[in-house]
Amino acid sequence: MLNLTMHLDRSSQAADATMPGSSQPRRTGVTWRAILLGLLLIPPVTYWHIRLEMIPDIAYPTRVGIVWTGIFALLIVCLLNRLIGAVAPRWTLRQSELLLIYSMIVLGSLGASHDFIRPLMPVFTWSFWTASPANNWDSLINPHMPRWLTVRDQDIMRGFYEGGRSFFQTEILQAWAGPVIAWTVFIVLLAVVMVCINSLIRRRWLDDEHLACPLVMLPIEISRPRPTIYTNKLFWIGFGFAGLARVWNHLTIFYPALPEIPLGFRNLAASISQRPWSAVSMLGSSFRPWLIGLGFIMPADFTFSFWFFHLFWKGERVLGAIWGLDQIKYFPFPSPQAFGVYILIGLYALWLGREHLSRVYNAIITGKPQSGSGTEPTSYRVAAVGVIVGVAGLIWFSTAMGMQLWVAASFFLIYFLIAFSITRMRAQFGVPIHRLLSLEGQTAGPLTILTAAFGTRSFLKSDLVGFSNYFWFNRAYGAHPMPHQMEALKMQDQTAGTSHGTPWWLLAATFVGTIACFVMVLHLYYMWGAGARAQVPMWAPGNFTMLTGWFTAPKGPEWGSIIAVGVGVLFGFFLQTMRMRFVNWPLHPLSFAVSGEYMGNHIWMPMFFAWLIKSAVTRYGGHKLYQRLVPLFLGLVMGEFVLMSLIDLICLGFGRLGFK
């Protein structure tokens, strides 16, 4: 894997050197034309995400590590770039510019995600719109909701939920302006802290440890000026198989008489009703070509461990049913156990980088630049100030909602430690999922960990309201921006030799994407009705039901979750120790952490087939055969991505979205 990535590194840099108009071997992608094009493309891709993930809730481009809508947008820009280059070579975009555009599109459109702004929208209005004598929210919850973050006018809310109105009316715009601006500032502050942390650790991870960031392989390959992959027959075989299968299955939506190719998700345990086997609840069957292709370029020990531990989690459920433990809510606590491994990974990464962090600290204090600092995204002092100001702003925002200072500080300490760990996992192994959301619906974000550790009765009502209002970006972490930021820095380093200046335009993309998402969602909700076509009632009750339980039935510490976190830490430490002591130890702690979550049911079988194929190839054909077959599996990824995107865009144009 590392050899392949190093090969791509050299070929990408060589390709940039031959671009028309280049006067240096490598040139930065941070140019005004790239920035302008990236910002202009964010709104249409954001709208595309909204129509897939929010209205009418049929597909989820951001649930896994590689965003296929961004890959398709990059492909279109690359094709147009080649056409322009044939007519006006001076206007041809370099590879580093193309990849900056791609990174901006992805980060800008992440807000329109199933796991991000979608669950935020009900926070504005739901408890006021649905308050009734039955739930008693007018006296139980609403007096504690911050006025500056909510919309309470009944007429304004009626248009939001019932539709049939225009969002672009003065009174409606004024009602929403304050909360939208406040949450936009909050989201940008989150992004500031993340990108500054990435700037502080980039050199250690990418230069010293040479972490490959495997998920950047595909965008780097297709953005080359002369992509050799397009001349490879195996690539087109994979592309054709995945693409034709996608087209055929989509036709079965409109023509049910056609037999479907069984590639999509099936629950093999749906018909099991006899205990203890019924405790499995869900055992997914899926043969998605793009997931198999993605798994083929991942380390074999990771893919093996993934399917092994996914079945291991199912075995835990069966044993729990035999011993009566399945009566305990959330057993076997996969999310808290995974959280324990995440924390272990994050702390271990900090320990490995302690010398680098010491040098960073000295550079910040003395102001003396380190050797090679000209290639850094930004100076360490600026990055440190960004972290301090960003965290201070987030804590101030929280205390303005009524949270205690220590609660807000603890909340964001846990949150950014999770973000740090996810970024490390993606940079090292290209982990495809990291949502921390179990099949039982339990998450393991800071609000879950803090209430489990201290009990809800230890917090003020205003603390619990703050937890509830922050549920939207801690429900799941599938669309987390921080690993995408690190991958953007990696791509600039690889193709331009420097990522200097990149963080600020990634932040600009986040800002533009957030504003675009809010405006488009509100426009569509007011047109169609958030309570009908947008299916907001399906998502809204979560945090308010949780908050009602906290208020009406305060509890002490949840020892099951606490013990599960400890078990996760110890078992993760055991697996990591065994990997260090035994070279061929096959089980990876990362796979243990991510295989137990909900999305593991969808991808464990593709990971199994990817491991099986890769193991056979490397055993009987060696590394040379593996390298020759990589284009075939990249073709599987591209074939499904491209045809899936084309079909959805065509259906969107005709107003008949469908996905299969």
Side-chain angles (χ1 to χ4, degrees):
M1 182 67 222
L2 182 57
N3 292 338
L4 178 60
T5 306
M6 292 173 66
H7 166 72
L8 290 175
D9 188 357
R10 291 191 295 269
S11 61
S12 300
Q13 293 175 3
D16 256 3
T18 62
M19 287 298 294
S22 293
S23 58
Q24 301 175 19
R26 291 171 290 183
R27 295 172 62 187
T28 179
V30 183
T31 62
W32 284 111
R33 59 183 184 175
I35 292 165
L36 181 61
L37 188 55
L39 294 176
L40 288 175
L41 288 174
I42 288 171
V45 178
T46 298
Y47 178 78
W48 188 8
H49 278 197
I50 291 170
R51 294 306 315 278
L52 290 176
E53 297 207 26
M54 299 175 70
I55 308 171
D57 186 33
I58 56 169
Y60 315 102
T62 60
R63 268 192 177 180
V64 294
I66 188 164
V67 181
W68 50 263
T69 49
I71 292 291
F72 181 78
L74 173 63
L75 178 63
I76 297 301
V77 172
C78 290
L79 292 175
L80 293 175
N81 191 50
R82 289 176 66 84
L83 293 175
I84 293 172
V87 178
R90 292 184 59 188
W91 288 94
T92 305
L93 294 167
R94 298 185 298 275
Q95 185 182 20
S96 53
E97 293 176 293
L98 292 168
L99 291 172
L100 178 64
I101 293 168
Y102 165 75
S103 299
M104 293 178 69
I105 290 172
V106 169
L107 281 162
S109 59
L110 280 182
S113 165
H114 202 67
D115 295 333
F116 211 65
I117 286 182
R118 174 172 186 162
L120 167 61
M121 296 308 296
V123 173
F124 291 94
T125 60
W126 183 257
S127 64
F128 303 97
W129 178 250
T130 58
S132 67
N135 58 38
N136 199 31
W137 283 356
D138 272 334
S139 59
L140 185 67
I141 291 178
N142 291 341
H144 304 284
M145 295 293 288
R147 286 188 171 273
W148 53 286
L149 291 178
T150 55
V151 176
R152 307 184 180 207
D153 185 278
Q154 286 293 320
D155 184 57
I156 300 295
M157 289 191 291
R158 183 171 294 106
F160 178 81
Y161 283 101
E162 297 178 358
R165 295 185 64 179
S166 171
F167 170 65
F168 301 101
Q169 298 178 26
T170 302
E171 65 275 14
I172 295 177
L173 291 171
Q174 289 177 344
W176 284 93
V180 166
I181 291 172
W183 282 116
T184 300
V185 171
F186 179 86
I187 291 169
V188 171
L189 286 173
L190 281 177
V192 166
V193 177
M194 293 177 201
V195 81
C196 288
I197 293 174
N198 277 328
S199 298
L200 292 172
I201 62 177
R202 183 213 65 85
R203 186 169 186 174
R204 168 64 190 175
W205 288 4
L206 303 186
D207 293 350
D208 298 344
E209 295 187 53
H210 302 289
L211 298 187
C213 295
L215 296 184
V216 307
M217 180 189 299
L218 188 58
I220 285 178
E221 186 68 19
I222 66 176
S223 63
R224 288 198 210 171
R226 288 177 292 278
T228 56
I229 196 171
Y230 296 148
T231 62
N232 191 298
K233 292 181 181 179
L234 290 176
F235 172 81
W236 291 110
I237 291 173
F239 186 98
F241 172 78
L244 290 175
R246 168 62 61 180
V247 172
W248 180 269
N249 279 352
H250 200 84
L251 288 175
T252 64
I253 298 174
F254 304 103
Y255 304 97
L258 293 175
E260 180 186 351
I261 302 174
L263 299 177
F265 178 79
R266 300 286 190 279
N267 182 10
L268 300 178
S271 60
I272 301 176
S273 57
Q274 185 177 2
R275 287 178 56 85
W277 305 108
S278 59
V280 169
S281 180
M282 183 181 291
L283 182 63
S285 168
S286 174
F287 302 92
R288 292 292 189 198
W290 74 270
L291 284 170
I292 296 174
L294 195 63
F296 187 77
I297 64 175
M298 293 178 182
D301 61 341
F302 175 81
T303 51
F304 169 79
S305 301
F306 190 97
W307 68 261
F308 174 87
F309 277 124
H310 184 75
L311 298 180
F312 173 85
W313 286 110
K314 300 302 181 183
E316 279 196 8
R317 286 178 164 83
V318 172
L319 289 176
I322 293 173
W323 297 332
L325 297 177
D326 61 332
Q327 302 304 309
I328 302 174
K329 188 177 182 181
Y330 297 132
F331 180 85
F333 302 98
S335 292
Q337 287 194 59
F339 172 80
V341 181
Y342 277 38
I343 297 304
L344 178 68
I345 291 168
L347 295 177
Y348 184 64
L350 287 171
W351 173 256
L352 288 178
R354 61 191 182 278
E355 292 184 3
H356 169 74
L357 294 176
S358 177
R359 292 192 295 269
V360 168
Y361 175 79
N362 291 331
I364 293 171
I365 297 300
T366 63
K368 295 180 180 179
Q370 291 185 297
S371 60
S373 59
T375 62
E376 293 286 8
T378 187
S379 73
Y380 290 151
R381 272 192 170 180
V382 171
V385 169
V387 172
I388 294 171
V389 172
V391 170
L394 293 169
I395 292 176
W396 175 86
F397 190 100
S398 304
T399 55
M401 281 198 302
M403 294 176 70
Q404 299 176 82
L405 180 62
W406 76 270
V407 175
S410 301
F411 184 97
F412 287 107
L413 175 64
I414 296 172
Y415 176 79
F416 285 115
L417 187 54
I418 292 173
F420 183 83
S421 301
I422 290 173
T423 306
R424 173 72 188 198
M425 292 156 52
R426 279 268 291 274
Q428 188 168 2
F429 292 103
V431 176
I433 56 172
H434 37 71
R435 300 182 77 219
L436 269 179
L437 180 66
S438 72
L439 181 63
E440 296 80 10
Q442 185 185 28
T443 187
L447 62 93
T448 305
I449 298 302
L450 288 173
T451 54
F454 296 99
T456 53
R457 65 166 60 102
S458 299
F459 296 100
L460 302 177
K461 286 188 174 181
S462 55
D463 294 325
L464 299 175
V465 168
F467 288 164
S468 174
N469 287 343
Y470 284 165
F471 177 73
W472 61 272
F473 69 100
N474 290 278
R475 171 185 165 272
Y477 300 105
H480 208 294
M482 191 166 172
H484 288 286
Q485 292 174 348
M486 179 60 80
E487 288 161 0
L489 300 181
K490 172 71 174 181
M491 289 187 286
Q492 289 303 305
D493 286 341
Q494 225 169 267
T495 58
T498 176
S499 53
H500 187 72
T502 302
W504 313 120
W505 298 110
L506 300 181
L507 292 176
T510 299
F511 172 75
V512 171
T514 302
I515 293 294
C517 182
F518 274 129
V519 172
M520 291 176 186
V521 168
L522 288 168
H523 164 64
L524 293 173
Y525 281 7
Y526 270 89
M527 182 168 61
W528 289 328
R533 188 168 179 178
Q535 298 179 324
V536 163
M538 181 176 69
W539 291 94
N543 56 328
F544 293 105
T545 302
M546 177 177 62
L547 183 59
T548 301
W550 288 343
F551 279 3
T552 58
K555 298 179 181 180
E558 298 177 12
W559 293 107
S561 295
I562 296 172
I563 293 171
V565 172
V567 170
V569 171
L570 293 175
F571 192 55
F573 182 77
F574 165 75
L575 293 174
Q576 184 64 25
T577 302
M578 297 301 287
R579 282 178 58 82
M580 295 175 65
R581 291 180 63 88
F582 301 101
V583 175
N584 295 321
W585 179 258
L587 301 179
H588 201 289
L590 282 184
S591 297
F592 171 73
V594 300
S595 61
E597 66 172 69
Y598 174 81
M599 282 299 294
N601 292 283
H602 291 256
I603 74 171
W604 79 270
M605 192 169 283
M607 292 297 106
F608 168 76
F609 284 111
W611 165 80
L612 189 65
I613 296 169
K614 184 173 182 176
S615 298
V617 166
T618 53
R619 180 173 182 177
Y620 298 107
H623 185 68
K624 184 175 293 186
L625 178 60
Y626 167 72
Q627 292 280 16
R628 288 181 59 189
L629 290 179
V630 165
L632 172 66
F633 289 88
L634 290 181
L636 291 177
V637 179
M638 283 297 294
E640 192 156 10
F641 280 6
V642 170
L643 271 298
M644 186 161 46
S645 300
L646 287 173
I647 289 169
D648 285 330
L649 289 174
I650 292 170
C651 292
L652 181 60
F654 285 98
R656 293 188 64 189
L657 272 171
F659 190 85
K660 205 167 188 178

